[in-house]
Amino acid sequence: MIIKNGTILSPGTQEEYSADLRIADGLIAEIASPGSLSPHPADEEVLDASSCVIAPGLIDVHVHFRDPGFTWKEDLHTGALAAAAGGFTTVICMANTKPPVDNPDTLSDLLSRAQNEAIRIHFTAAVTTGLSGKDLTDFETLATLGACGFTDDGVPLKDEKLTEQAMRRAKALGLPLSFHEEDPAFIKKSGTNRTAPAVAEDVLVARDCMLSRYTGAVINIQHISSEASVALVRTAKALGAPVFAEATPHHFSLTEEAVEKYGTCAKMNPPLRTETDRQAIIKGLKDGTIDIIATDHAPHSTAEKQQEDFFAAPSGIIGLETSLGLGITNLVRPGYLTLMQLLEKMTVNPARLYRISAQAKPCVGSETSLYGSILPGSAADLVIFNPEEAFIAGNYQSKSENSPFTGMELLGKIHYTICGGKIAWDSISD
């Protein structure tokens, strides 16, 4: 395959230039000056990337594909389609399925079925059995089978000593822990800033940042949402704690006022907060306090979301197919981030957290071979998009449609997603 006439953005090397690419055997085989490559053999596939950016395929470290147990919302196949349509070539699935990924059989089954999909799907394992917060899972066995990290996402760890023990075991394996930070002691009802205030997040972020500093374990603060939590992560990093933080597109794009407008399609955990909090997240993205943009892609059926009782409806929204567009529209276009900086938070930094190598394998990379650079010999995992071309959010590949962004005009139309040298998404032919 040849990709012609595109602009390369390589966040790992901080390079931007015009070039043609040749892809062979799943790798980038050749990078040449624009117009210099011709098909060889004569029937070699040629993609025209005129007016488009060619970037490393995006990585999402926080998705829910609802498989097993909730496949009416999403499954591995539809989740992979949604990811590819959003420019993602690698995703990390959370462990809160039914049964949860707390045992070898469930993990092995998922890893086996994931091989059939057009993108790379990796899986975290649960920190505690049954997501109970009581007994640690068999970290060593799950890691040996292929778990790329540990999380009880959706459920906070309330036991400080257990959390410390989990950190020490994860550190010994060289794997990260990801934390859902909402202390139920401060939550009356989930889903709104009024009933689930920021302090519920702040107290656990403070605890886990300091435990990370104490143990040396790499941790990820998931879907950070409050001004104080951003400041706490900033302080922890200054103190040398190996802490990562992720922000969702909905938390840097919307405030609590969206709940009144969009109802349950703006209900998520942690909830949308104030404009002050939103601006703090943007500042954290700008100064590097927040390393990663992750979707927390959380599909739910229309019937579940359309319940009359707001608080009875499940929390969460889909996000894979709007993430890049929201980043370009709400971060790059206003001047908060450059496009290179946005891509760094969607490729290089996620790869650093999960040590994904230039060959797109999890948990085996080194600092010198991390994913995120377009170089000869690196994996042909690419997204080709026009950052100036508008599209209307909707017509999703996901089984679910629970998004407040449906119908919005966003910038950054994706033309192709290529994973392992094969086209996983083609909006031009479609």
Side-chain angles (χ1 to χ4, degrees), residues 75-120:
D75 57 42
L76 290 187
H77 183 63
T78 59
L81 289 174
F88 292 91
T89 55
T90 299
V91 297
I92 311 294
C93 288
M94 299 295 98
N96 56 339
T97 51
K98 186 177 181 180
V101 189
D102 63 356
N103 64 87
D105 288 346
T106 299
L107 177 59
S108 296
D109 172 64
L110 287 168
L111 287 167
S112 176
R113 290 192 287 119
Q115 300 302 309
N116 299 321
E117 302 303 331
I119 66 161
R120 306 179 196 273

mmCIF file of all heavy atoms in Angstrom, residues 75-120:
data_model
loop_
_atom_site.group_PDB
_atom_site.id
_atom_site.type_symbol
_atom_site.label_atom_id
_atom_site.label_comp_id
_atom_site.label_asym_id
_atom_site.label_seq_id
_atom_site.Cartn_x
_atom_site.Cartn_y
_atom_site.Cartn_z
ATOM 1 N N ASP A 75 -20.276 -4.970 22.029
ATOM 2 C CA ASP A 75 -19.482 -6.199 22.113
ATOM 3 C C ASP A 75 -18.122 -5.916 21.486
ATOM 4 O O ASP A 75 -17.868 -4.798 21.023
ATOM 5 C CB ASP A 75 -20.196 -7.386 21.467
ATOM 6 C CG ASP A 75 -20.564 -7.156 20.005
ATOM 7 O OD1 ASP A 75 -19.728 -6.604 19.254
ATOM 8 O OD2 ASP A 75 -21.675 -7.543 19.598
ATOM 9 N N LEU A 76 -17.262 -6.915 21.504
ATOM 10 C CA LEU A 76 -15.917 -6.676 20.987
ATOM 11 C C LEU A 76 -15.942 -6.185 19.551
ATOM 12 O O LEU A 76 -15.180 -5.281 19.168
ATOM 13 C CB LEU A 76 -15.067 -7.956 21.076
ATOM 14 C CG LEU A 76 -14.635 -8.441 22.458
ATOM 15 C CD1 LEU A 76 -13.670 -9.608 22.317
ATOM 16 C CD2 LEU A 76 -13.994 -7.323 23.273
ATOM 17 N N HIS A 77 -16.821 -6.758 18.731
ATOM 18 C CA HIS A 77 -16.827 -6.399 17.315
ATOM 19 C C HIS A 77 -17.342 -4.985 17.087
ATOM 20 O O HIS A 77 -16.707 -4.187 16.390
ATOM 21 C CB HIS A 77 -17.658 -7.403 16.519
ATOM 22 C CG HIS A 77 -17.657 -7.128 15.050
ATOM 23 N ND1 HIS A 77 -16.511 -7.166 14.280
ATOM 24 C CD2 HIS A 77 -18.666 -6.775 14.199
ATOM 25 C CE1 HIS A 77 -16.792 -6.880 13.026
ATOM 26 N NE2 HIS A 77 -18.092 -6.631 12.951
ATOM 27 N N THR A 78 -18.487 -4.635 17.676
ATOM 28 C CA THR A 78 -19.014 -3.286 17.455
ATOM 29 C C THR A 78 -18.147 -2.239 18.133
ATOM 30 O O THR A 78 -17.997 -1.127 17.635
ATOM 31 C CB THR A 78 -20.470 -3.166 17.941
ATOM 32 O OG1 THR A 78 -20.536 -3.480 19.338
ATOM 33 C CG2 THR A 78 -21.364 -4.103 17.155
ATOM 34 N N GLY A 79 -17.549 -2.603 19.278
ATOM 35 C CA GLY A 79 -16.612 -1.679 19.909
ATOM 36 C C GLY A 79 -15.406 -1.419 19.035
ATOM 37 O O GLY A 79 -14.947 -0.274 18.904
ATOM 38 N N ALA A 80 -14.899 -2.478 18.396
ATOM 39 C CA ALA A 80 -13.758 -2.312 17.498
ATOM 40 C C ALA A 80 -14.128 -1.454 16.291
ATOM 41 O O ALA A 80 -13.329 -0.624 15.840
ATOM 42 C CB ALA A 80 -13.247 -3.677 17.042
ATOM 43 N N LEU A 81 -15.334 -1.630 15.762
ATOM 44 C CA LEU A 81 -15.786 -0.799 14.641
ATOM 45 C C LEU A 81 -15.859 0.669 15.046
ATOM 46 O O LEU A 81 -15.430 1.560 14.307
ATOM 47 C CB LEU A 81 -17.156 -1.275 14.157
ATOM 48 C CG LEU A 81 -17.210 -2.614 13.413
ATOM 49 C CD1 LEU A 81 -18.666 -2.985 13.132
ATOM 50 C CD2 LEU A 81 -16.422 -2.535 12.111
ATOM 51 N N ALA A 82 -16.421 0.928 16.237
ATOM 52 C CA ALA A 82 -16.521 2.303 16.726
ATOM 53 C C ALA A 82 -15.136 2.913 16.912
ATOM 54 O O ALA A 82 -14.897 4.076 16.577
ATOM 55 C CB ALA A 82 -17.297 2.340 18.033
ATOM 56 N N ALA A 83 -14.214 2.123 17.451
ATOM 57 C CA ALA A 83 -12.857 2.610 17.651
ATOM 58 C C ALA A 83 -12.207 2.959 16.324
ATOM 59 O O ALA A 83 -11.615 4.038 16.164
ATOM 60 C CB ALA A 83 -12.032 1.562 18.394
ATOM 61 N N ALA A 84 -12.303 2.072 15.353
ATOM 62 C CA ALA A 84 -11.699 2.326 14.046
ATOM 63 C C ALA A 84 -12.309 3.557 13.387
ATOM 64 O O ALA A 84 -11.599 4.374 12.780
ATOM 65 C CB ALA A 84 -11.858 1.100 13.148
ATOM 66 N N ALA A 85 -13.625 3.721 13.517
ATOM 67 C CA ALA A 85 -14.281 4.896 12.942
ATOM 68 C C ALA A 85 -13.810 6.185 13.598
ATOM 69 O O ALA A 85 -13.873 7.259 12.994
ATOM 70 C CB ALA A 85 -15.798 4.764 13.078
ATOM 71 N N GLY A 86 -13.334 6.084 14.842
ATOM 72 C CA GLY A 86 -12.819 7.246 15.551
ATOM 73 C C GLY A 86 -11.326 7.459 15.401
ATOM 74 O O GLY A 86 -10.772 8.365 16.026
ATOM 75 N N GLY A 87 -10.649 6.621 14.605
ATOM 76 C CA GLY A 87 -9.214 6.784 14.389
ATOM 77 C C GLY A 87 -8.340 6.009 15.357
ATOM 78 O O GLY A 87 -7.113 6.159 15.345
ATOM 79 N N PHE A 88 -8.958 5.143 16.170
ATOM 80 C CA PHE A 88 -8.200 4.390 17.172
ATOM 81 C C PHE A 88 -7.776 3.040 16.606
ATOM 82 O O PHE A 88 -8.598 2.300 16.066
ATOM 83 C CB PHE A 88 -9.040 4.170 18.435
ATOM 84 C CG PHE A 88 -9.311 5.435 19.191
ATOM 85 C CD1 PHE A 88 -10.454 6.188 18.924
ATOM 86 C CD2 PHE A 88 -8.418 5.895 20.147
ATOM 87 C CE1 PHE A 88 -10.709 7.364 19.610
ATOM 88 C CE2 PHE A 88 -8.665 7.072 20.843
ATOM 89 C CZ PHE A 88 -9.801 7.812 20.563
ATOM 90 N N THR A 89 -6.506 2.728 16.773
ATOM 91 C CA THR A 89 -5.999 1.418 16.372
ATOM 92 C C THR A 89 -5.692 0.537 17.571
ATOM 93 O O THR A 89 -5.469 -0.660 17.408
ATOM 94 C CB THR A 89 -4.738 1.562 15.508
ATOM 95 O OG1 THR A 89 -3.762 2.350 16.211
ATOM 96 C CG2 THR A 89 -5.060 2.234 14.180
ATOM 97 N N THR A 90 -5.688 1.107 18.769
ATOM 98 C CA THR A 90 -5.433 0.350 19.984
ATOM 99 C C THR A 90 -6.354 0.861 21.090
ATOM 100 O O THR A 90 -6.497 2.073 21.263
ATOM 101 C CB THR A 90 -3.970 0.495 20.453
ATOM 102 O OG1 THR A 90 -3.095 -0.004 19.437
ATOM 103 C CG2 THR A 90 -3.712 -0.267 21.738
ATOM 104 N N VAL A 91 -6.973 -0.063 21.819
ATOM 105 C CA VAL A 91 -7.795 0.316 22.964
ATOM 106 C C VAL A 91 -7.465 -0.598 24.131
ATOM 107 O O VAL A 91 -7.025 -1.739 23.956
ATOM 108 C CB VAL A 91 -9.307 0.245 22.650
ATOM 109 C CG1 VAL A 91 -9.695 1.228 21.556
ATOM 110 C CG2 VAL A 91 -9.732 -1.174 22.283
ATOM 111 N N ILE A 92 -7.689 -0.079 25.332
ATOM 112 C CA ILE A 92 -7.515 -0.828 26.570
ATOM 113 C C ILE A 92 -8.884 -0.961 27.217
ATOM 114 O O ILE A 92 -9.504 0.040 27.604
ATOM 115 C CB ILE A 92 -6.552 -0.116 27.546
ATOM 116 C CG1 ILE A 92 -5.260 0.302 26.837
ATOM 117 C CG2 ILE A 92 -6.285 -0.988 28.760
ATOM 118 C CD1 ILE A 92 -4.392 -0.825 26.363
ATOM 119 N N CYS A 93 -9.379 -2.187 27.332
ATOM 120 C CA CYS A 93 -10.708 -2.435 27.896
ATOM 121 C C CYS A 93 -10.650 -2.565 29.409
ATOM 122 O O CYS A 93 -9.728 -3.167 29.966
ATOM 123 C CB CYS A 93 -11.298 -3.716 27.311
ATOM 124 S SG CYS A 93 -11.814 -3.574 25.594
ATOM 125 N N MET A 94 -11.666 -2.027 30.054
ATOM 126 C CA MET A 94 -11.781 -2.116 31.501
ATOM 127 C C MET A 94 -12.319 -3.485 31.918
ATOM 128 O O MET A 94 -12.875 -4.222 31.108
ATOM 129 C CB MET A 94 -12.683 -1.002 32.029
ATOM 130 C CG MET A 94 -12.152 0.409 31.734
ATOM 131 S SD MET A 94 -10.582 0.802 32.566
ATOM 132 C CE MET A 94 -9.393 0.482 31.243
ATOM 133 N N ALA A 95 -12.160 -3.781 33.198
ATOM 134 C CA ALA A 95 -12.409 -5.137 33.693
ATOM 135 C C ALA A 95 -13.797 -5.332 34.282
ATOM 136 O O ALA A 95 -14.126 -6.448 34.714
ATOM 137 C CB ALA A 95 -11.357 -5.483 34.750
ATOM 138 N N ASN A 96 -14.645 -4.289 34.317
ATOM 139 C CA ASN A 96 -15.933 -4.420 35.009
ATOM 140 C C ASN A 96 -17.016 -4.964 34.081
ATOM 141 O O ASN A 96 -18.016 -4.315 33.786
ATOM 142 C CB ASN A 96 -16.355 -3.097 35.652
ATOM 143 C CG ASN A 96 -16.413 -1.947 34.662
ATOM 144 O OD1 ASN A 96 -15.805 -1.993 33.602
ATOM 145 N ND2 ASN A 96 -17.143 -0.900 35.022
ATOM 146 N N THR A 97 -16.783 -6.193 33.624
ATOM 147 C CA THR A 97 -17.745 -6.919 32.815
ATOM 148 C C THR A 97 -18.493 -7.919 33.718
ATOM 149 O O THR A 97 -18.350 -7.882 34.938
ATOM 150 C CB THR A 97 -17.010 -7.642 31.674
ATOM 151 O OG1 THR A 97 -15.923 -8.392 32.218
ATOM 152 C CG2 THR A 97 -16.467 -6.638 30.669
ATOM 153 N N LYS A 98 -19.274 -8.817 33.101
ATOM 154 C CA LYS A 98 -20.005 -9.804 33.896
ATOM 155 C C LYS A 98 -19.845 -11.171 33.242
ATOM 156 O O LYS A 98 -20.486 -11.422 32.220
ATOM 157 C CB LYS A 98 -21.473 -9.422 33.999
ATOM 158 C CG LYS A 98 -22.267 -10.330 34.938
ATOM 159 C CD LYS A 98 -23.709 -9.863 35.050
ATOM 160 C CE LYS A 98 -24.493 -10.744 36.006
ATOM 161 N NZ LYS A 98 -25.905 -10.296 36.120
ATOM 162 N N PRO A 99 -18.999 -12.067 33.766
ATOM 163 C CA PRO A 99 -18.197 -11.869 34.970
ATOM 164 C C PRO A 99 -17.082 -10.863 34.732
ATOM 165 O O PRO A 99 -16.682 -10.623 33.593
ATOM 166 C CB PRO A 99 -17.624 -13.266 35.235
ATOM 167 C CG PRO A 99 -17.532 -13.881 33.872
ATOM 168 C CD PRO A 99 -18.741 -13.378 33.139
ATOM 169 N N PRO A 100 -16.565 -10.295 35.814
ATOM 170 C CA PRO A 100 -15.442 -9.370 35.649
ATOM 171 C C PRO A 100 -14.186 -10.120 35.217
ATOM 172 O O PRO A 100 -14.089 -11.336 35.356
ATOM 173 C CB PRO A 100 -15.280 -8.756 37.045
ATOM 174 C CG PRO A 100 -15.896 -9.751 37.974
ATOM 175 C CD PRO A 100 -16.994 -10.415 37.223
ATOM 176 N N VAL A 101 -13.226 -9.371 34.713
ATOM 177 C CA VAL A 101 -11.965 -9.980 34.273
ATOM 178 C C VAL A 101 -11.078 -10.143 35.502
ATOM 179 O O VAL A 101 -10.090 -9.441 35.710
ATOM 180 C CB VAL A 101 -11.288 -9.122 33.187
ATOM 181 C CG1 VAL A 101 -10.102 -9.887 32.592
ATOM 182 C CG2 VAL A 101 -12.268 -8.752 32.085
ATOM 183 N N ASP A 102 -11.491 -11.091 36.338
ATOM 184 C CA ASP A 102 -10.756 -11.355 37.578
ATOM 185 C C ASP A 102 -10.245 -12.788 37.630
ATOM 186 O O ASP A 102 -9.778 -13.251 38.675
ATOM 187 C CB ASP A 102 -11.627 -11.058 38.803
ATOM 188 C CG ASP A 102 -12.862 -11.954 38.891
ATOM 189 O OD1 ASP A 102 -13.098 -12.761 37.955
ATOM 190 O OD2 ASP A 102 -13.595 -11.855 39.889
ATOM 191 N N ASN A 103 -10.333 -13.484 36.487
ATOM 192 C CA ASN A 103 -9.966 -14.901 36.463
ATOM 193 C C ASN A 103 -9.349 -15.248 35.117
ATOM 194 O O ASN A 103 -9.615 -14.581 34.102
ATOM 195 C CB ASN A 103 -11.199 -15.761 36.733
ATOM 196 C CG ASN A 103 -12.244 -15.617 35.636
ATOM 197 O OD1 ASN A 103 -12.199 -16.322 34.640
ATOM 198 N ND2 ASN A 103 -13.178 -14.679 35.809
ATOM 199 N N PRO A 104 -8.536 -16.289 35.059
ATOM 200 C CA PRO A 104 -7.849 -16.642 33.818
ATOM 201 C C PRO A 104 -8.776 -16.999 32.663
ATOM 202 O O PRO A 104 -8.499 -16.650 31.511
ATOM 203 C CB PRO A 104 -6.990 -17.849 34.231
ATOM 204 C CG PRO A 104 -6.755 -17.666 35.695
ATOM 205 C CD PRO A 104 -8.025 -17.067 36.213
ATOM 206 N N ASP A 105 -9.894 -17.683 32.932
ATOM 207 C CA ASP A 105 -10.770 -18.117 31.847
ATOM 208 C C ASP A 105 -11.382 -16.936 31.104
ATOM 209 O O ASP A 105 -11.419 -16.917 29.863
ATOM 210 C CB ASP A 105 -11.878 -19.021 32.394
ATOM 211 C CG ASP A 105 -11.374 -20.394 32.815
ATOM 212 O OD1 ASP A 105 -10.242 -20.737 32.433
ATOM 213 O OD2 ASP A 105 -12.099 -21.104 33.530
ATOM 214 N N THR A 106 -11.877 -15.951 31.846
ATOM 215 C CA THR A 106 -12.489 -14.786 31.199
ATOM 216 C C THR A 106 -11.451 -14.007 30.396
ATOM 217 O O THR A 106 -11.705 -13.612 29.251
ATOM 218 C CB THR A 106 -13.141 -13.878 32.252
ATOM 219 O OG1 THR A 106 -14.162 -14.608 32.939
ATOM 220 C CG2 THR A 106 -13.767 -12.646 31.605
ATOM 221 N N LEU A 107 -10.292 -13.789 30.987
ATOM 222 C CA LEU A 107 -9.247 -13.057 30.280
ATOM 223 C C LEU A 107 -8.799 -13.806 29.027
ATOM 224 O O LEU A 107 -8.672 -13.203 27.951
ATOM 225 C CB LEU A 107 -8.064 -12.815 31.209
ATOM 226 C CG LEU A 107 -6.851 -12.123 30.577
ATOM 227 C CD1 LEU A 107 -7.220 -10.753 30.014
ATOM 228 C CD2 LEU A 107 -5.718 -11.987 31.600
ATOM 229 N N SER A 108 -8.582 -15.091 29.127
ATOM 230 C CA SER A 108 -8.121 -15.871 27.974
ATOM 231 C C SER A 108 -9.146 -15.856 26.851
ATOM 232 O O SER A 108 -8.792 -15.749 25.671
ATOM 233 C CB SER A 108 -7.823 -17.312 28.399
ATOM 234 O OG SER A 108 -6.761 -17.350 29.322
ATOM 235 N N ASP A 109 -10.419 -15.962 27.213
ATOM 236 C CA ASP A 109 -11.480 -15.927 26.203
ATOM 237 C C ASP A 109 -11.484 -14.582 25.465
ATOM 238 O O ASP A 109 -11.570 -14.533 24.228
ATOM 239 C CB ASP A 109 -12.831 -16.162 26.863
ATOM 240 C CG ASP A 109 -13.992 -15.941 25.907
ATOM 241 O OD1 ASP A 109 -14.105 -16.681 24.913
ATOM 242 O OD2 ASP A 109 -14.784 -14.999 26.143
ATOM 243 N N LEU A 110 -11.379 -13.499 26.196
ATOM 244 C CA LEU A 110 -11.370 -12.172 25.575
ATOM 245 C C LEU A 110 -10.157 -11.997 24.670
ATOM 246 O O LEU A 110 -10.274 -11.494 23.544
ATOM 247 C CB LEU A 110 -11.396 -11.100 26.660
ATOM 248 C CG LEU A 110 -12.722 -10.915 27.392
ATOM 249 C CD1 LEU A 110 -12.533 -10.047 28.627
ATOM 250 C CD2 LEU A 110 -13.774 -10.299 26.470
ATOM 251 N N LEU A 111 -9.001 -12.382 25.154
ATOM 252 C CA LEU A 111 -7.790 -12.229 24.347
ATOM 253 C C LEU A 111 -7.885 -13.044 23.066
ATOM 254 O O LEU A 111 -7.457 -12.591 21.993
ATOM 255 C CB LEU A 111 -6.568 -12.661 25.158
ATOM 256 C CG LEU A 111 -6.134 -11.708 26.268
ATOM 257 C CD1 LEU A 111 -5.132 -12.386 27.196
ATOM 258 C CD2 LEU A 111 -5.539 -10.431 25.676
ATOM 259 N N SER A 112 -8.458 -14.223 23.151
ATOM 260 C CA SER A 112 -8.606 -15.059 21.963
ATOM 261 C C SER A 112 -9.559 -14.435 20.952
ATOM 262 O O SER A 112 -9.247 -14.345 19.753
ATOM 263 C CB SER A 112 -9.110 -16.444 22.369
ATOM 264 O OG SER A 112 -9.347 -17.252 21.240
ATOM 265 N N ARG A 113 -10.709 -13.977 21.404
ATOM 266 C CA ARG A 113 -11.699 -13.400 20.486
ATOM 267 C C ARG A 113 -11.241 -12.066 19.918
ATOM 268 O O ARG A 113 -11.608 -11.698 18.794
ATOM 269 C CB ARG A 113 -13.044 -13.257 21.190
ATOM 270 C CG ARG A 113 -13.705 -14.603 21.461
ATOM 271 C CD ARG A 113 -15.138 -14.471 21.896
ATOM 272 N NE ARG A 113 -15.302 -13.972 23.244
ATOM 273 C CZ ARG A 113 -15.932 -12.862 23.574
ATOM 274 N NH1 ARG A 113 -16.451 -12.081 22.628
ATOM 275 N NH2 ARG A 113 -16.053 -12.502 24.836
ATOM 276 N N ALA A 114 -10.441 -11.328 20.672
ATOM 277 C CA ALA A 114 -9.954 -10.031 20.202
ATOM 278 C C ALA A 114 -9.064 -10.162 18.969
ATOM 279 O O ALA A 114 -8.941 -9.215 18.179
ATOM 280 C CB ALA A 114 -9.199 -9.318 21.317
ATOM 281 N N GLN A 115 -8.445 -11.328 18.798
ATOM 282 C CA GLN A 115 -7.582 -11.529 17.641
ATOM 283 C C GLN A 115 -8.334 -11.453 16.323
ATOM 284 O O GLN A 115 -7.730 -11.256 15.261
ATOM 285 C CB GLN A 115 -6.871 -12.885 17.754
ATOM 286 C CG GLN A 115 -5.986 -13.041 18.979
ATOM 287 C CD GLN A 115 -4.911 -11.969 19.049
ATOM 288 O OE1 GLN A 115 -4.179 -11.748 18.082
ATOM 289 N NE2 GLN A 115 -4.817 -11.292 20.183
ATOM 290 N N ASN A 116 -9.656 -11.602 16.364
ATOM 291 C CA ASN A 116 -10.461 -11.589 15.146
ATOM 292 C C ASN A 116 -10.843 -10.191 14.694
ATOM 293 O O ASN A 116 -11.445 -10.038 13.624
ATOM 294 C CB ASN A 116 -11.745 -12.409 15.366
ATOM 295 C CG ASN A 116 -11.463 -13.855 15.692
ATOM 296 O OD1 ASN A 116 -10.551 -14.456 15.132
ATOM 297 N ND2 ASN A 116 -12.242 -14.425 16.608
ATOM 298 N N GLU A 117 -10.524 -9.169 15.485
ATOM 299 C CA GLU A 117 -10.960 -7.812 15.170
ATOM 300 C C GLU A 117 -9.882 -7.039 14.406
ATOM 301 O O GLU A 117 -8.716 -7.411 14.400
ATOM 302 C CB GLU A 117 -11.354 -7.080 16.442
ATOM 303 C CG GLU A 117 -12.448 -7.772 17.236
ATOM 304 C CD GLU A 117 -13.724 -8.015 16.428
ATOM 305 O OE1 GLU A 117 -14.004 -7.231 15.499
ATOM 306 O OE2 GLU A 117 -14.429 -9.002 16.716
ATOM 307 N N ALA A 118 -10.308 -5.939 13.786
ATOM 308 C CA ALA A 118 -9.436 -5.191 12.885
ATOM 309 C C ALA A 118 -8.517 -4.217 13.601
ATOM 310 O O ALA A 118 -7.653 -3.603 12.963
ATOM 311 C CB ALA A 118 -10.276 -4.437 11.854
ATOM 312 N N ILE A 119 -8.711 -4.039 14.902
ATOM 313 C CA ILE A 119 -7.822 -3.184 15.683
ATOM 314 C C ILE A 119 -7.212 -4.016 16.804
ATOM 315 O O ILE A 119 -7.555 -5.182 16.987
ATOM 316 C CB ILE A 119 -8.555 -1.956 16.268
ATOM 317 C CG1 ILE A 119 -9.601 -2.414 17.299
ATOM 318 C CG2 ILE A 119 -9.185 -1.112 15.165
ATOM 319 C CD1 ILE A 119 -10.044 -1.320 18.229
ATOM 320 N N ARG A 120 -6.313 -3.402 17.569
ATOM 321 C CA ARG A 120 -5.637 -4.088 18.664
ATOM 322 C C ARG A 120 -6.413 -3.806 19.963
ATOM 323 O O ARG A 120 -6.547 -2.655 20.365
ATOM 324 C CB ARG A 120 -4.195 -3.613 18.778
ATOM 325 C CG ARG A 120 -3.426 -3.751 17.464
ATOM 326 C CD ARG A 120 -2.007 -3.250 17.595
ATOM 327 N NE ARG A 120 -1.390 -3.018 16.308
ATOM 328 C CZ ARG A 120 -0.746 -3.932 15.584
ATOM 329 N NH1 ARG A 120 -0.643 -5.163 16.042
ATOM 330 N NH2 ARG A 120 -0.216 -3.625 14.407
#
